Amino acid sequence: MHTLTIDLGKRSYPIIIGSDLLSNADTFNPFVSGKVMVVTNDSIAPLYLDKTLAALHQHDTASVVLPDGEAYKQLNTLDAIFESLLKQRFDRGCTLVALGGGVIGDMTGFAAATYQRGVNFIQVPTTLLAQVDSSVGGKTGVNHTLGKNMIGAFHQPVAVVADMSTLSTLSDRELKAGLAEVIKHGFILDIKFFEWLENNIAALLARDEKATAYAVQRSCEIKAEIVAADEHERGVRALLNLGHTFGHAIESAMGYGNWLHGEAISAGMVMALDLSTRLGRITDGEQKRAVALLKAAGLPVQPPTSIDADTFLNYMYRDKKVIGGQLRLILLDKIGQAFVTDDVNIDQLMNTLTADYSSA
Ligand code: NAD
Ligand code: GLY
């Protein structure tokens, strides 16, 4: 077991990474207050809900099971959580437990941020993507048909419990999607981690436990450092959005759930690498090397050809990083060093949006 801390003063919390954590009451007890509502979905419930409730047996517990899918990450679905909480008279001292991937984590976190103006919650991420990214840092929310993650709040959990054993039931496609966010951490901040990933991508795809544990730990360390420095994304935290302005446009335009978040982020990062190259910030060689890693991870490296430049721009200008109508993008200066720019040359951007990625 390995524990990291997100250092946010009084709101600091641990990320506990280990195996078979779910079945252990000691994992949860220090972080639980009041009644406990476990929120999960109908794919995860048959796998892990009983185990989690058993570990929480010393507490007054209930559960709510939502339909599975990114398409349900929306305001209407939240009502099922609020109805359960209200019907069972959960008060302000309660604890919500998000048992699932990023969709459950984001929705449960938002319910916790808003129920009776804010209650505690514990993140129990069960996908690689959620363990390396979405469960950490307190971004919560839901999608709108007009834009991804457009309604939400910053609300930090009281603990993150990343039980690596849950990854054994994850599909290969979801595992690869999680690798996109792992690789992102190497691209933006850590050339050594990028090189480690180049050497260990086959082991990660083969679900080697030691390699996976290191990838989760290193990703969480990188994210913990960034979140501690800039909780509300006024500066450096924006770097974690490499590829996201393009990627969120892909997810929204293709219909939520058709492209997995990690897949869209992979193609989005390829577009950010293309623009970085066009602007002379990285070399052709660096671009090819970075794309090769995404390819080796089995991730898409071409955006869907069905999205035209106007549609991309429409979604991109609704991005949360847009301030005063000014697009802000995350680009690379080199592998392991990202930067934020609002000085985007529109002609170069159009070239990126209309480029032929078929030989990538
Ligand atoms: P997801 O939550 O949809 O989970 C993927 C699929 O795997 C689902 O069908 C789920 O039911 C299933 N699943 C989950 N755990 C499983 C397990 N252990 N075994 C078998 N099946 C399992 O998708 P995700 O990739 O985890 O998360 C994507 C979401 O996270 C997106 O909505 C994205 O916007 C969000 N996100 C948020 C942040 C943040 O900082 N809050 C960061 C990155 C991504
Ligand atoms: N996933 C981006 C962030 O947490 O800031």
Side-chain angles (χ1 to χ4, degrees):
M1 196 171 91
H2 189 88
T3 302
L4 305 169
T5 303
I6 301 276
D7 191 359
L8 290 169
K10 282 186 183 154
R11 288 173 298 105
S12 295
Y13 57 93
I15 305 169
I16 305 162
I17 303 167
S19 296
D20 296 320
L21 298 175
L22 274 195
S23 38
N24 189 347
D26 294 339
T27 305
F28 296 101
N29 282 344
F31 309 107
V32 171
S33 58
K35 289 168 83 161
V36 186
M37 178 68 75
V38 181
V39 182
T40 190
N41 73 29
D42 51 16
S43 303
I44 300 158
L47 298 169
Y48 302 112
L49 182 57
D50 285 351
K51 211 184 242 190
T52 308
L53 290 173
L56 290 162
H57 73 275
Q58 293 157 21
H59 307 275
D60 185 354
T61 54
S63 58
V64 56
V65 179
L66 304 175
D68 182 9
E70 183 77 37
Y72 293 99
K73 188 177 138 180
Q74 42 133 317
L75 278 174
N76 282 348
T77 313
L78 279 178
D79 199 48
I81 307 178
F82 294 134
E83 195 174 301
S84 285
L85 291 167
L86 288 165
K87 276 191 173 155
Q88 295 173 72
R89 302 200 176 173
F90 274 62
D91 63 27
R92 269 188 178 166
C94 73
T95 306
L96 308 194
V97 173
L99 175 67
V103 167
I104 286 294
D106 282 9
M107 280 201 291
T108 308
F110 189 51
T114 48
Y115 183 66
Q116 300 199 3
R117 300 205 177 91
V119 298
N120 285 347
F121 83 115
I122 300 171
Q123 286 273 19
V124 184
T126 61
T127 62
L128 180 63
L129 187 137
Q131 294 186 354
V132 300
D133 190 354
S134 65
S135 65
V136 175
K139 280 190 180 175
T140 74
V142 293
N143 301 326
H144 191 281
T145 43
L146 295 179
K148 172 89 184 155
N149 292 340
M150 279 297 147
I151 300 147
F154 284 100
H155 187 59
Q156 300 293 344
V158 293
V160 178
V161 175
D163 185 340
M164 312 272 312
S165 316
T166 60
L167 301 183
S168 65
T169 52
L170 200 63
S171 70
D172 286 342
R173 185 178 173 197
E174 295 291 354
L175 186 85
K176 289 173 191 168
L179 288 174
E181 302 280 20
V182 175
I183 292 170
K184 175 192 79 180
H185 290 130
F187 282 172
I188 60 173
L189 221 71
D190 189 345
I191 178 73
K192 282 212 171 93
F193 186 43
F194 170 82
E195 285 166 352
W196 181 89
L197 287 166
E198 286 185 313
N199 294 326
N200 288 278
I201 197 68
L204 291 169
L205 288 168
R207 297 172 184 254
D208 177 272
E209 276 178 31
K210 208 168 145 217
T212 309
Y214 179 70
V216 173
Q217 184 191 318
R218 185 67 199 125
S219 290
C220 287
E221 282 168 0
I222 291 171
K223 186 148 185 191
E225 199 178 310
I226 291 184
V227 170
D230 178 24
E231 181 181 6
H232 295 117
E233 199 172 304
R234 303 214 162 90
V236 69
R237 186 165 179 170
L239 300 183
L240 291 170
N241 290 317
L242 176 70
H244 282 55
T245 305
F246 298 108
H248 282 169
I250 295 172
E251 283 186 88
S252 307
M254 296 306 285
Y256 295 121
N258 289 318
W259 272 57
L260 302 183
H261 176 70
E263 293 171 345
I265 295 315
S266 175
M269 289 195 291
V270 173
M271 297 175 87
L273 287 162
D274 177 89
L275 187 53
S276 305
T277 312
R278 285 178 196 280
L279 296 173
R281 306 300 288 245
I282 60 170
T283 62
D284 279 351
E286 284 176 301
Q287 181 190 4
K288 285 200 172 73
R289 191 176 165 196
V291 173
L293 179 57
L294 293 167
K295 234 177 171 172
L299 284 159
V301 292
Q302 297 163 23
T305 47
S306 58
I307 308 178
D308 61 25
D310 279 350
T311 308
F312 257 115
L313 285 176
N314 239 322
Y315 282 108
M316 288 173 73
Y317 272 96
R318 281 194 209 116
D319 187 70
K320 292 190 291 307
K321 289 183 295 302
V322 170
I323 296 171
Q326 191 69 41
L327 202 59
R328 286 165 80 228
L329 292 174
I330 318 307
L331 301 175
L332 289 194
D333 256 334
K334 54 184 176 190
I335 296 175
Q337 193 175 306
F339 68 100
V340 187
T341 178
D342 59 7
D343 184 19
V344 183
N345 178 310
I346 193 72
D347 293 333
Q348 297 287 39
L349 176 61
M350 284 307 283
N351 289 336
T352 287
L353 295 178
T354 54
D356 177 5
Y357 291 90
S358 60
S359 60

